[in-house]
Amino acid sequence: MSSMEQLYQQVILDHARAPHGRGLVPAPADAVAGESHQVNPTCGDEVTLRVAFRPAPDGAPDGSLVDEVTWEGQGCSISQASVSVLTDLVTGADLRTVDELSETFRLLMHARGAGLDDAQEDTLGDATAFTGVAKYPARIKCALLGWAALKDAIAKSGVVVPTHVKEQA
């Protein structure tokens, strides 16, 4: 195993042991929020994820910002670490950025371990540690479970990217 693979494995283990955002808490009463429960029927991993939003600062064209992501789940280190990394990546981000991060992570999972270009990997930060996971088709669903919950929670919240932002993308 290369030193980079060892580093990636350690990042996943660190997030699995001390997951960020774990502990499903109620969204603030005045927040727009969405929640999703997802299960990987192949292995039984599951996650319930709640995302709360706050308005972007006045004049910002990016709509709502992710204020908080909290979750509860059970499953393998990969699924739990992936939700932890997701929490770090999307908290504070606008919806367009969240969508771009989700798509880039999905691309990483379908790259079969080949990785992505440097700019995309820089965008993903710690999520790049899941590059090796993509070599194992049975584990890809584990890594994508939290991302599916995030997408569904956003849809359930009713928060949408403003039209003028969609046109710029």
Side-chain angles (χ1 to χ4, degrees), residues 44-70:
D45 290 356
E46 61 183 277
V47 66
T48 301
L49 182 140
R50 182 175 295 134
V51 60
F53 300 92
R54 62 179 151 72
D58 288 340
D62 299 327
S64 297
L65 302 176
V66 174
D67 189 39
E68 182 178 52
V69 176
T70 61

Side-chain angles (χ1 to χ4, degrees), residues 29-52:
D30 60 343
V32 174
E35 180 176 312
S36 177
H37 180 79
Q38 299 289 314
V39 176
N40 180 348
T42 306
C43 63
D45 290 356
E46 61 183 277
V47 66
T48 301
L49 182 140
R50 182 175 295 134
V51 60

Side-chain angles (χ1 to χ4, degrees), residues 1 5 9 12 40 42 76 78 108-114 129-144:
M1 181 183 305
E5 289 172 328
Q9 185 177 41
I12 291 171
N40 180 348
T42 306
C76 68
I78 292 168
L108 179 69
M109 289 298 97
H110 294 292
R112 301 288 189 218
F130 294 87
T131 299
V133 171
K135 294 178 186 177
Y136 306 98
R139 304 312 298 231
I140 292 171
K141 286 184 180 181
C142 299
L144 289 173

Side-chain angles (χ1 to χ4, degrees), residues 2-43:
S2 75
S3 60
M4 188 59 74
E5 289 172 328
Q6 288 175 341
L7 174 65
Y8 285 170
Q9 185 177 41
Q10 190 60 49
V11 168
I12 291 171
L13 290 174
D14 288 347
H15 275 275
R17 287 183 190 128
H20 304 175
R22 181 175 222 135
L24 198 60
V25 299
D30 60 343
V32 174
E35 180 176 312
S36 177
H37 180 79
Q38 299 289 314
V39 176
N40 180 348
T42 306
C43 63

